[in-house]
Amino acid sequence: MHLLTTVTKSYQNYIDGRWVEASEKSLFESINPANAEDVLGSFQASGKEDAGEAIRAAEKAFPGWAETPPSKRARILNQAADHLENELELIARELTREEGKILPASRQEVKRSADTLRFYAAEGLSFSGETFPQDDFSSMVFTVREPLGVVTAITPWNFPLSIPARKIAPALITGNTVVFKPSSVTPLMGLRLTEAFVKAGLPEGVLNFITGSASKVGRSLVSDAAVKAVTFTGSTQAGKEIHNAVPLTTRTQMELGGKNPLIVLDDADLDLAVQLSVNGGFSLTGQACTGTSRVIVARAVQEEFTAKLVKKTEELKIGDGLSEGIQLGPLASQKQLENVLRYVEIGEKEGAVLRCGGRQLTGEGYDKGFYVEPAVFTDVTPEMRIAQEEIFGPVISVLAVDSFEEAIRVANGVEYGLSASIVTRDVEKAHRFVRRIQSGTVKVNRTTTGNLIQAPFGGLKNSSTSTFRESGRTGLEFFTQTKTVYYGY
Ligand code: NAP
């Protein structure tokens, strides 16, 4: 049980150290996908002018922040982490109400966001250049890393706290100033992260937060000449639009869509394979960029595997993520619901066999939310749209193959390359898989989902810009430029 808010609170942008209204004085609402009548708050529908003000504020604050001692920057990141941890339960509940994921997953995300800030607070202090051996002993040659300037961070709704944290923390610790635009589906989580930095004492203008639709503010936030870098996570379509809009000298880092395969070989532990499929395909209601969307299974074990997968899928408990024992929350928005139902229809029309799920859930507890039953399709062929296009919902397509070679060919036969996994006991085949799969994250006997804070993360092909990786120590590289110094005496 949870109490619904009866009075809608309105939240403001944070520009140049002040909470302010958008210039057009227009608002939009953030709603609970488990119950669309539950409104979390109203947010500023910002426009071009607000985007410009946020960029100017970040530009003005840059010289001072770049000169701020790194130890002081690190202290602020740690204090922001303290704030997230102190408010963990409250923020986690809001996260579930705003995005729909189940409460344990929300708690994990708040914790992970705090851990990310602490990780970069520590790593940033030892991130440095190199010195080079040379013949002239009267001089030294070394590189220094310097911040870029104003960075725009644009983020999606599926990890509305932890994705912004892994962009903003490395940007700030290396001395950049930031303009942050969260997804319009989850503005409250963006605001909570911003508040954590404000409470930690971040100087004015160093982090600026603006809400509003991409159609109104997107272009201004990425095409302004003062913006030296854009760090973006979202759909491949939006990534392409941003790529076309940025000036020549603006750096971009983009983490985009996926169509992630799990290969199940005929020697696999089938119970493990089923568990990995369910966890990878249906956790977060299928709305993870690394979610398992295709299971490519050896024909010899296909029927046994599918029967077990369908049974496990039908046992999943679906409902409001705030309730005990729920395994799958609602989809994050009406748009997501329509999209998933559309793909189920497409799959059936293409001739795939819907073995379970795929229907909108209605009735007591479901009527006001965006609920769908997790779906399993079999008889899927590689060229079908449900095997090629990102659905971003709880839909698994099972494709049968006759050999290891065919499995690799099918797995690689899509435009994406974000995450891939194989289930096998055959060490040699696992090794060949690691070498041949076109994917930025590669796993053996693990879910396609999940990545470590301390390890690099990013995709190949149309899943990324293939420029700079996010996450880990590597995540700092995007936010700095190198100068080579020849220092003689
Ligand atoms: P989206 O529609 O691309 O939106 C992502 C963010 O970009 C939102 O803040 C959106 O603002 C903004 N945006 C959209 N078009 C823009 C444009 N032309 N210029 C500037 N900003 C723009 O994606 P989503 O529906 O939020 O998230 C789901 C997608 O994200 C999936 O494709 C998923 O695979 C991908 N994703 C990838 C990763 C990864 O690490 N590879 C991680 C998570 C999610 P509005 O909300 O105002 O439209």
Side-chain angles (χ1 to χ4, degrees), residues 248-281:
L248 185 67
T249 51
T250 303
R251 239 179 222 201
T252 60
Q253 171 186 58
M254 300 199 202
E255 293 311 332
L256 310 170
K259 189 71 188 171
N260 313 295
L262 178 80
I263 295 178
V264 180
L265 296 186
D266 54 9
D267 72 333
D269 171 342
L270 288 191
D271 291 324
L272 173 68
V274 167
Q275 202 52 55
L276 296 179
S277 304
V278 169
N279 291 350

mmCIF file of all heavy atoms in Angstrom, residues 248-281:
data_model
loop_
_atom_site.group_PDB
_atom_site.id
_atom_site.type_symbol
_atom_site.label_atom_id
_atom_site.label_comp_id
_atom_site.label_asym_id
_atom_site.label_seq_id
_atom_site.Cartn_x
_atom_site.Cartn_y
_atom_site.Cartn_z
ATOM 1 N N LEU A 248 30.999 20.781 -35.924
ATOM 2 C CA LEU A 248 32.143 19.912 -36.231
ATOM 3 C C LEU A 248 33.028 19.634 -35.022
ATOM 4 O O LEU A 248 33.542 18.536 -34.837
ATOM 5 C CB LEU A 248 32.959 20.574 -37.353
ATOM 6 C CG LEU A 248 34.128 19.786 -37.894
ATOM 7 C CD1 LEU A 248 33.637 18.539 -38.620
ATOM 8 C CD2 LEU A 248 34.947 20.657 -38.849
ATOM 9 N N THR A 249 33.226 20.645 -34.173
ATOM 10 C CA THR A 249 34.197 20.503 -33.085
ATOM 11 C C THR A 249 33.570 20.006 -31.776
ATOM 12 O O THR A 249 34.233 19.951 -30.753
ATOM 13 C CB THR A 249 34.885 21.849 -32.819
ATOM 14 O OG1 THR A 249 33.858 22.832 -32.660
ATOM 15 C CG2 THR A 249 35.807 22.236 -33.952
ATOM 16 N N THR A 250 32.293 19.683 -31.807
ATOM 17 C CA THR A 250 31.666 19.197 -30.567
ATOM 18 C C THR A 250 31.824 17.681 -30.471
ATOM 19 O O THR A 250 31.434 16.948 -31.372
ATOM 20 C CB THR A 250 30.162 19.568 -30.539
ATOM 21 O OG1 THR A 250 30.056 20.974 -30.669
ATOM 22 C CG2 THR A 250 29.497 19.130 -29.245
ATOM 23 N N ARG A 251 32.385 17.244 -29.369
ATOM 24 C CA ARG A 251 32.571 15.819 -29.137
ATOM 25 C C ARG A 251 31.250 15.153 -28.795
ATOM 26 O O ARG A 251 30.438 15.755 -28.076
ATOM 27 C CB ARG A 251 33.427 15.683 -27.881
ATOM 28 C CG ARG A 251 34.688 14.947 -28.098
ATOM 29 C CD ARG A 251 35.435 14.900 -26.809
ATOM 30 N NE ARG A 251 36.822 15.149 -27.095
ATOM 31 C CZ ARG A 251 37.814 14.803 -26.303
ATOM 32 N NH1 ARG A 251 37.554 14.225 -25.149
ATOM 33 N NH2 ARG A 251 39.045 15.045 -26.627
ATOM 34 N N THR A 252 31.034 13.940 -29.257
ATOM 35 C CA THR A 252 29.819 13.235 -28.831
ATOM 36 C C THR A 252 30.158 11.853 -28.300
ATOM 37 O O THR A 252 31.102 11.212 -28.741
ATOM 38 C CB THR A 252 28.793 13.066 -29.979
ATOM 39 O OG1 THR A 252 29.403 12.313 -31.016
ATOM 40 C CG2 THR A 252 28.286 14.382 -30.488
ATOM 41 N N GLN A 253 29.357 11.452 -27.348
ATOM 42 C CA GLN A 253 29.429 10.104 -26.785
ATOM 43 C C GLN A 253 27.979 9.649 -26.731
ATOM 44 O O GLN A 253 27.168 10.297 -26.089
ATOM 45 C CB GLN A 253 29.995 10.204 -25.374
ATOM 46 C CG GLN A 253 29.950 8.931 -24.574
ATOM 47 C CD GLN A 253 30.397 9.182 -23.135
ATOM 48 O OE1 GLN A 253 29.817 10.008 -22.436
ATOM 49 N NE2 GLN A 253 31.407 8.476 -22.694
ATOM 50 N N MET A 254 27.673 8.586 -27.463
ATOM 51 C CA MET A 254 26.268 8.181 -27.519
ATOM 52 C C MET A 254 26.114 6.700 -27.259
ATOM 53 O O MET A 254 26.745 5.882 -27.924
ATOM 54 C CB MET A 254 25.701 8.491 -28.889
ATOM 55 C CG MET A 254 25.771 9.950 -29.211
ATOM 56 S SD MET A 254 24.652 10.337 -30.520
ATOM 57 C CE MET A 254 25.403 11.840 -31.097
ATOM 58 N N GLU A 255 25.284 6.391 -26.308
ATOM 59 C CA GLU A 255 24.949 4.997 -26.028
ATOM 60 C C GLU A 255 23.511 4.788 -26.465
ATOM 61 O O GLU A 255 22.599 5.438 -25.947
ATOM 62 C CB GLU A 255 25.160 4.684 -24.548
ATOM 63 C CG GLU A 255 26.632 4.740 -24.133
ATOM 64 C CD GLU A 255 27.557 3.951 -25.050
ATOM 65 O OE1 GLU A 255 27.107 2.968 -25.668
ATOM 66 O OE2 GLU A 255 28.738 4.327 -25.174
ATOM 67 N N LEU A 256 23.307 3.881 -27.425
ATOM 68 C CA LEU A 256 22.025 3.832 -28.138
ATOM 69 C C LEU A 256 21.315 2.488 -27.966
ATOM 70 O O LEU A 256 21.494 1.808 -26.969
ATOM 71 C CB LEU A 256 22.287 4.186 -29.605
ATOM 72 C CG LEU A 256 23.116 5.475 -29.807
ATOM 73 C CD1 LEU A 256 23.542 5.651 -31.244
ATOM 74 C CD2 LEU A 256 22.344 6.694 -29.324
ATOM 75 N N GLY A 257 20.549 2.101 -28.959
ATOM 76 C CA GLY A 257 19.689 0.923 -28.838
ATOM 77 C C GLY A 257 20.409 -0.407 -28.923
ATOM 78 O O GLY A 257 21.622 -0.471 -29.153
ATOM 79 N N GLY A 258 19.638 -1.479 -28.732
ATOM 80 C CA GLY A 258 20.212 -2.825 -28.794
ATOM 81 C C GLY A 258 19.179 -3.845 -29.250
ATOM 82 O O GLY A 258 17.961 -3.565 -29.272
ATOM 83 N N LYS A 259 19.661 -4.997 -29.658
ATOM 84 C CA LYS A 259 18.770 -6.121 -30.014
ATOM 85 C C LYS A 259 19.532 -7.367 -29.557
ATOM 86 O O LYS A 259 20.010 -8.168 -30.358
ATOM 87 C CB LYS A 259 18.522 -6.130 -31.535
ATOM 88 C CG LYS A 259 17.452 -7.104 -31.979
ATOM 89 C CD LYS A 259 16.077 -6.672 -31.568
ATOM 90 C CE LYS A 259 15.046 -7.733 -31.834
ATOM 91 N NZ LYS A 259 13.720 -7.403 -31.225
ATOM 92 N N ASN A 260 19.669 -7.480 -28.246
ATOM 93 C CA ASN A 260 20.697 -8.340 -27.661
ATOM 94 C C ASN A 260 20.358 -9.828 -27.707
ATOM 95 O O ASN A 260 19.290 -10.244 -27.259
ATOM 96 C CB ASN A 260 20.933 -7.893 -26.228
ATOM 97 C CG ASN A 260 21.094 -6.379 -26.164
ATOM 98 O OD1 ASN A 260 22.031 -5.831 -26.695
ATOM 99 N ND2 ASN A 260 20.121 -5.705 -25.566
ATOM 100 N N PRO A 261 21.300 -10.646 -28.222
ATOM 101 C CA PRO A 261 21.054 -12.082 -28.323
ATOM 102 C C PRO A 261 21.619 -12.870 -27.141
ATOM 103 O O PRO A 261 22.673 -12.544 -26.590
ATOM 104 C CB PRO A 261 21.823 -12.447 -29.596
ATOM 105 C CG PRO A 261 22.988 -11.501 -29.598
ATOM 106 C CD PRO A 261 22.529 -10.231 -28.915
ATOM 107 N N LEU A 262 20.908 -13.935 -26.793
ATOM 108 C CA LEU A 262 21.434 -14.953 -25.878
ATOM 109 C C LEU A 262 21.455 -16.238 -26.696
ATOM 110 O O LEU A 262 20.414 -16.688 -27.165
ATOM 111 C CB LEU A 262 20.516 -15.117 -24.670
ATOM 112 C CG LEU A 262 20.924 -16.188 -23.659
ATOM 113 C CD1 LEU A 262 22.018 -15.680 -22.731
ATOM 114 C CD2 LEU A 262 19.734 -16.633 -22.811
ATOM 115 N N ILE A 263 22.655 -16.807 -26.883
ATOM 116 C CA ILE A 263 22.763 -18.048 -27.653
ATOM 117 C C ILE A 263 22.722 -19.225 -26.681
ATOM 118 O O ILE A 263 23.424 -19.218 -25.663
ATOM 119 C CB ILE A 263 24.069 -18.071 -28.474
ATOM 120 C CG1 ILE A 263 24.040 -16.958 -29.538
ATOM 121 C CG2 ILE A 263 24.289 -19.431 -29.119
ATOM 122 C CD1 ILE A 263 25.311 -16.861 -30.376
ATOM 123 N N VAL A 264 21.890 -20.211 -26.995
ATOM 124 C CA VAL A 264 21.805 -21.410 -26.142
ATOM 125 C C VAL A 264 22.259 -22.603 -26.988
ATOM 126 O O VAL A 264 21.563 -22.995 -27.937
ATOM 127 C CB VAL A 264 20.356 -21.624 -25.636
ATOM 128 C CG1 VAL A 264 20.276 -22.865 -24.757
ATOM 129 C CG2 VAL A 264 19.854 -20.387 -24.889
ATOM 130 N N LEU A 265 23.420 -23.155 -26.669
ATOM 131 C CA LEU A 265 23.945 -24.292 -27.442
ATOM 132 C C LEU A 265 23.329 -25.605 -26.934
ATOM 133 O O LEU A 265 22.734 -25.650 -25.850
ATOM 134 C CB LEU A 265 25.473 -24.328 -27.355
ATOM 135 C CG LEU A 265 26.195 -23.124 -27.981
ATOM 136 C CD1 LEU A 265 27.711 -23.334 -27.958
ATOM 137 C CD2 LEU A 265 25.735 -22.861 -29.417
ATOM 138 N N ASP A 266 23.526 -26.681 -27.713
ATOM 139 C CA ASP A 266 22.826 -27.923 -27.341
ATOM 140 C C ASP A 266 23.408 -28.597 -26.098
ATOM 141 O O ASP A 266 22.781 -29.482 -25.522
ATOM 142 C CB ASP A 266 22.762 -28.904 -28.524
ATOM 143 C CG ASP A 266 24.130 -29.200 -29.116
ATOM 144 O OD1 ASP A 266 25.139 -28.778 -28.512
ATOM 145 O OD2 ASP A 266 24.178 -29.835 -30.191
ATOM 146 N N ASP A 267 24.598 -28.157 -25.641
ATOM 147 C CA ASP A 267 25.167 -28.724 -24.408
ATOM 148 C C ASP A 267 24.816 -27.874 -23.179
ATOM 149 O O ASP A 267 25.298 -28.134 -22.074
ATOM 150 C CB ASP A 267 26.699 -28.812 -24.539
ATOM 151 C CG ASP A 267 27.345 -27.428 -24.471
ATOM 152 O OD1 ASP A 267 26.666 -26.443 -24.831
ATOM 153 O OD2 ASP A 267 28.497 -27.336 -24.035
ATOM 154 N N ALA A 268 24.006 -26.843 -23.360
ATOM 155 C CA ALA A 268 23.767 -25.885 -22.267
ATOM 156 C C ALA A 268 22.956 -26.503 -21.134
ATOM 157 O O ALA A 268 22.142 -27.407 -21.349
ATOM 158 C CB ALA A 268 23.016 -24.674 -22.819
ATOM 159 N N ASP A 269 23.177 -25.981 -19.935
ATOM 160 C CA ASP A 269 22.301 -26.287 -18.802
ATOM 161 C C ASP A 269 21.000 -25.509 -19.091
ATOM 162 O O ASP A 269 20.969 -24.277 -19.001
ATOM 163 C CB ASP A 269 22.992 -25.792 -17.528
ATOM 164 C CG ASP A 269 22.094 -25.861 -16.301
ATOM 165 O OD1 ASP A 269 20.861 -25.970 -16.480
ATOM 166 O OD2 ASP A 269 22.624 -25.791 -15.185
ATOM 167 N N LEU A 270 19.948 -26.225 -19.464
ATOM 168 C CA LEU A 270 18.736 -25.539 -19.937
ATOM 169 C C LEU A 270 18.030 -24.747 -18.842
ATOM 170 O O LEU A 270 17.414 -23.709 -19.117
ATOM 171 C CB LEU A 270 17.772 -26.530 -20.584
ATOM 172 C CG LEU A 270 18.200 -27.082 -21.956
ATOM 173 C CD1 LEU A 270 17.047 -27.840 -22.604
ATOM 174 C CD2 LEU A 270 18.689 -25.994 -22.897
ATOM 175 N N ASP A 271 18.130 -25.233 -17.605
ATOM 176 C CA ASP A 271 17.504 -24.455 -16.519
ATOM 177 C C ASP A 271 18.216 -23.112 -16.354
ATOM 178 O O ASP A 271 17.580 -22.082 -16.140
ATOM 179 C CB ASP A 271 17.531 -25.242 -15.204
ATOM 180 C CG ASP A 271 16.587 -26.436 -15.283
ATOM 181 O OD1 ASP A 271 15.519 -26.290 -15.910
ATOM 182 O OD2 ASP A 271 16.935 -27.515 -14.756
ATOM 183 N N LEU A 272 19.536 -23.162 -16.467
ATOM 184 C CA LEU A 272 20.298 -21.909 -16.396
ATOM 185 C C LEU A 272 19.908 -21.005 -17.577
ATOM 186 O O LEU A 272 19.654 -19.809 -17.400
ATOM 187 C CB LEU A 272 21.807 -22.203 -16.430
ATOM 188 C CG LEU A 272 22.711 -20.975 -16.541
ATOM 189 C CD1 LEU A 272 22.654 -20.130 -15.265
ATOM 190 C CD2 LEU A 272 24.169 -21.384 -16.817
ATOM 191 N N ALA A 273 19.826 -21.586 -18.768
ATOM 192 C CA ALA A 273 19.492 -20.806 -19.964
ATOM 193 C C ALA A 273 18.123 -20.135 -19.808
ATOM 194 O O ALA A 273 17.942 -18.967 -20.187
ATOM 195 C CB ALA A 273 19.507 -21.708 -21.196
ATOM 196 N N VAL A 274 17.177 -20.859 -19.237
ATOM 197 C CA VAL A 274 15.831 -20.297 -19.043
ATOM 198 C C VAL A 274 15.892 -19.151 -18.038
ATOM 199 O O VAL A 274 15.321 -18.079 -18.254
ATOM 200 C CB VAL A 274 14.850 -21.404 -18.580
ATOM 201 C CG1 VAL A 274 13.550 -20.802 -18.072
ATOM 202 C CG2 VAL A 274 14.580 -22.367 -19.729
ATOM 203 N N GLN A 275 16.612 -19.383 -16.939
ATOM 204 C CA GLN A 275 16.713 -18.333 -15.919
ATOM 205 C C GLN A 275 17.370 -17.072 -16.486
ATOM 206 O O GLN A 275 16.916 -15.957 -16.237
ATOM 207 C CB GLN A 275 17.508 -18.863 -14.706
ATOM 208 C CG GLN A 275 17.239 -18.096 -13.421
ATOM 209 C CD GLN A 275 15.746 -17.984 -13.093
ATOM 210 O OE1 GLN A 275 15.053 -18.991 -13.004
ATOM 211 N NE2 GLN A 275 15.245 -16.756 -12.967
ATOM 212 N N LEU A 276 18.414 -17.271 -17.270
ATOM 213 C CA LEU A 276 19.106 -16.114 -17.866
ATOM 214 C C LEU A 276 18.192 -15.387 -18.859
ATOM 215 O O LEU A 276 18.208 -14.156 -18.952
ATOM 216 C CB LEU A 276 20.389 -16.551 -18.572
ATOM 217 C CG LEU A 276 21.487 -17.162 -17.687
ATOM 218 C CD1 LEU A 276 22.685 -17.575 -18.541
ATOM 219 C CD2 LEU A 276 21.935 -16.193 -16.605
ATOM 220 N N SER A 277 17.381 -16.149 -19.591
ATOM 221 C CA SER A 277 16.458 -15.526 -20.556
ATOM 222 C C SER A 277 15.406 -14.699 -19.826
ATOM 223 O O SER A 277 15.120 -13.560 -20.216
ATOM 224 C CB SER A 277 15.739 -16.592 -21.390
ATOM 225 O OG SER A 277 16.659 -17.421 -22.026
ATOM 226 N N VAL A 278 14.850 -15.291 -18.770
ATOM 227 C CA VAL A 278 13.789 -14.584 -18.029
ATOM 228 C C VAL A 278 14.369 -13.335 -17.352
ATOM 229 O O VAL A 278 13.796 -12.243 -17.455
ATOM 230 C CB VAL A 278 13.134 -15.533 -16.987
ATOM 231 C CG1 VAL A 278 12.233 -14.759 -16.038
ATOM 232 C CG2 VAL A 278 12.344 -16.617 -17.708
ATOM 233 N N ASN A 279 15.509 -13.508 -16.691
ATOM 234 C CA ASN A 279 16.104 -12.346 -16.009
ATOM 235 C C ASN A 279 16.526 -11.274 -17.014
ATOM 236 O O ASN A 279 16.289 -10.087 -16.812
ATOM 237 C CB ASN A 279 17.329 -12.753 -15.178
ATOM 238 C CG ASN A 279 16.940 -13.602 -13.985
ATOM 239 O OD1 ASN A 279 15.758 -13.744 -13.669
ATOM 240 N ND2 ASN A 279 17.925 -14.203 -13.340
ATOM 241 N N GLY A 280 17.157 -11.715 -18.093
ATOM 242 C CA GLY A 280 17.670 -10.755 -19.075
ATOM 243 C C GLY A 280 16.566 -10.137 -19.916
ATOM 244 O O GLY A 280 16.651 -8.981 -20.307
ATOM 245 N N GLY A 281 15.521 -10.914 -20.197
ATOM 246 C CA GLY A 281 14.475 -10.428 -21.096
ATOM 247 C C GLY A 281 13.346 -9.692 -20.404
ATOM 248 O O GLY A 281 12.720 -8.820 -21.009
#
